[in-house]
Amino acid sequence: MNIADIATDEYIQVDVDDRLGKIRSVFERERSKGIIVTDDGDYEGIITERQLLQSHIEDNAKANVIVRRNIPRVERDDGVRDVARMLVEGNTKVAPVFEGGELWGIVTEDAILEAVLDNLEVLTVGQVYTQEVVTLAEDDNLGKAINHLREHGISRLPVVNENGKLTGMVTTHDIADFAVRTMERQQKGDRSGDTDRMLDLPVYDLMNSPVETITQDATAREAVERMLENDYAGLVVTPEGDGDTIAGIVTKTDVLRALTYTEKESMDVQITNINLLDTISRQDITDAITEVTDKYQDMQVQHAHVRFHEHKERLRGTPLIQCQIRLRTNRGQAPGTGEGYGAETAFHVALDKLERNVLELKGTRADEEYEGQLLRKLGEL
């Protein structure tokens, strides 16, 4: 299956000289995942919804200052699996589609997932969800929430009470909406002081409750349908019969990533934000992870995901990078996270932690048979 019938030639377009205030209004009115940016009619890049929400640039600035130019370009005859990989590795929910060298339209994460719903019946939430979850306490303030969202490159934070039980959810949408409404109410006074008071607000006063949850044994189709129906980017995963204990989070991107799994003899390694690689290559990363997993022959690694996130801090021009590695194996998930200046340093710190976690997983999890039926089914796409 290719994306010829999934992509659309209906999209929103702005110019590089348009003001961000206007573009924010377009997002609020159209509920778009991304807007095409052009320069004298020629494709320049995309501004994504999440990018704009997390931006602190003034409304009178031009689109040119935040347009993303590194989003992968898609051809109308590209396959679904390849396009899914492009979106995940490009860390975007929308990509431009070209035909004959000319911009034709866009393809979105939602459109791909809608098109492959039938194939998701064989996939369970437990096979794709993320176990490592960043949470907030009810009395944590809004400033801490914003820092977590930026540092971890995520868009939602579950809120727990003093017993660790799920009580709410805070998203980038909630924070952006609250900030806009707060600023609109301000007429006089010290804007800095008003902002400080806003950042001190407990997340309990802002969170959404109750939270939409799903169990690990539910199908990926059920999860995606609920996310699409309610315009959610993700759902909290809970154990069967325990709706207020957090087991993880499943997002549209987690499901999209599953579409890229292969049955190749070599391990499938996927890298998000691959443009941050500096002195290390994709092959270097694959070889290093393979070296770790080869030590444990009875542990079958089905898929590896490596995600890089850039912080603003720099040392002699080199950015502080966070690297997250996640292996999906027949014994469960094994994570590793690290930070360092430059992608190579961050990766090796994360790799060391990954190996320790693999050792622990090897000793505590019972072996399970690899479920090839899933990959054979997805291979029909």
Side-chain angles (χ1 to χ4, degrees), residues 14 23 38 40-41 49 51 56 90 95 120 147 153 170 174 182 254 260 280 305 323 341 365 376-377:
V14 299
I23 296 173
T38 59
D40 287 335
E49 180 185 40
Q51 175 190 10
H56 285 267
L120 301 180
N147 286 335
V170 174
D174 300 325
T182 300
D254 287 326
T260 72
I280 190 170
H305 177 222
C323 176
Y341 289 99
R365 296 291 181 91
R376 285 193 296 274
K377 181 67 175 177

Side-chain angles (χ1 to χ4, degrees), residues 17-292:
D17 290 327
D18 285 340
R19 304 292 179 180
L20 293 185
K22 170 188 174 181
I23 296 173
R24 286 192 172 97
S25 298
V26 172
F27 270 111
E28 291 173 6
R29 183 176 67 251
E30 302 292 341
R31 302 294 295 174
S32 175
K33 300 299 182 183
I35 293 177
I36 295 286
V37 181
T38 59
D39 186 359
D40 287 335
D42 295 327
Y43 173 78
E44 184 72 11
I46 286 180
I47 295 178
T48 64
E49 180 185 40
R50 177 173 163 187
Q51 175 190 10
L52 194 60
L53 284 173
Q54 294 182 343
S55 170
H56 285 267
I57 301 175
E58 296 291 336
D59 280 353
N60 61 359
K62 295 181 179 180
N64 185 57
V65 301
I66 67 168
V67 61
R68 284 190 59 185
R69 296 176 172 85
N70 61 348
I71 287 180
R73 300 186 179 199
V74 173
E75 297 293 332
R76 281 198 72 198
D77 58 356
D78 282 341
V80 169
R81 188 188 298 275
D82 291 335
V83 175
R85 179 181 289 276
M86 289 180 194
L87 291 180
V88 173
E89 293 198 338
N91 196 23
T92 181
K93 298 183 183 301
V94 59
V97 178
F98 285 77
E99 185 174 45
E102 298 293 327
L103 178 65
W104 180 87
I106 61 171
V107 63
T108 66
E109 176 184 71
D110 285 1
I112 292 176
L113 291 174
E114 287 176 350
V116 300
L117 277 175
D118 288 344
N119 300 84
L120 301 180
E121 287 283 0
V122 298
L123 188 65
T124 67
V125 169
Q127 291 170 309
V128 301
Y129 80 116
T130 300
Q131 292 178 329
E132 310 85 52
V133 182
V134 181
T135 63
L136 291 169
E138 292 178 333
D139 57 356
D140 283 337
N141 60 36
L142 188 56
K144 184 174 182 178
I146 293 172
N147 286 335
H148 277 340
L149 292 169
R150 288 178 181 167
E151 289 174 5
H152 298 280
I154 53 181
S155 60
R156 60 199 53 252
L157 293 164
V159 181
V160 297
N161 61 21
E162 58 185 9
N163 297 317
K165 298 298 185 180
L166 176 68
T167 58
M169 178 75 76
V170 174
T171 70
T172 52
H173 281 287
D174 300 325
I175 295 173
D177 182 61
F178 173 74
V180 169
R181 286 186 284 108
T182 300
M183 293 306 178
E184 286 177 348
R185 288 198 302 266
Q186 291 176 354
Q187 300 296 327
K188 298 179 180 179
D190 183 355
R191 180 175 293 271
S192 176
D194 290 336
T195 300
D196 289 342
R197 286 191 290 273
M198 181 179 73
L199 295 178
D200 288 335
L201 181 78
V203 295
Y204 180 84
D205 294 342
L206 186 62
M207 70 183 192
N208 295 302
S209 184
V211 181
E212 190 80 13
T213 64
I214 196 163
T215 58
Q216 292 160 280
D217 59 351
T219 67
R221 174 172 184 161
E222 180 183 350
V224 169
E225 286 178 333
R226 286 167 62 180
M227 285 188 276
L228 292 173
E229 181 180 351
N230 296 287
D231 196 24
Y232 295 148
L235 303 171
V236 174
V237 180
T238 60
E240 183 70 34
D242 188 359
D244 56 3
T245 295
I246 301 175
I249 282 186
V250 62
T251 67
K252 292 175 182 175
T253 302
D254 287 326
V255 180
L256 198 69
R257 185 179 298 117
L259 299 180
T260 72
Y261 293 177
T262 68
E263 288 187 291
K264 296 178 182 177
E265 291 183 3
S266 59
M267 179 175 52
D268 182 33
V269 177
Q270 191 172 89
I271 302 173
T272 298
N273 290 330
I274 197 169
N275 59 296
L276 294 179
L277 298 187
D278 43 21
T279 57
I280 190 170
S281 68
R282 174 193 284 276
Q283 190 60 51
D284 293 334
I285 290 173
T286 300
D287 291 345
I289 294 177
T290 301
E291 184 177 347
V292 169

Side-chain angles (χ1 to χ4, degrees), residues 288-348:
I289 294 177
T290 301
E291 184 177 347
V292 169
T293 58
D294 281 351
K295 297 178 183 178
Y296 314 103
Q297 294 295 328
D298 58 339
M299 179 178 287
Q300 301 169 5
V301 178
Q302 301 158 2
H303 182 262
H305 177 222
V306 182
R307 183 184 188 280
F308 292 98
H309 175 68
E310 182 178 359
H311 296 297
K312 291 184 178 180
E313 182 180 341
R314 289 178 176 267
L315 178 64
R316 292 190 290 275
T318 302
L320 179 64
I321 301 290
Q322 180 190 65
C323 176
Q324 299 171 323
I325 308 173
R326 186 173 67 192
L327 299 185
R328 295 192 185 280
T329 79
N330 63 324
R331 294 173 181 262
Q333 298 183 29
T337 302
E339 288 189 349
Y341 289 99
E344 182 172 9
T345 301
F347 170 72
H348 286 294

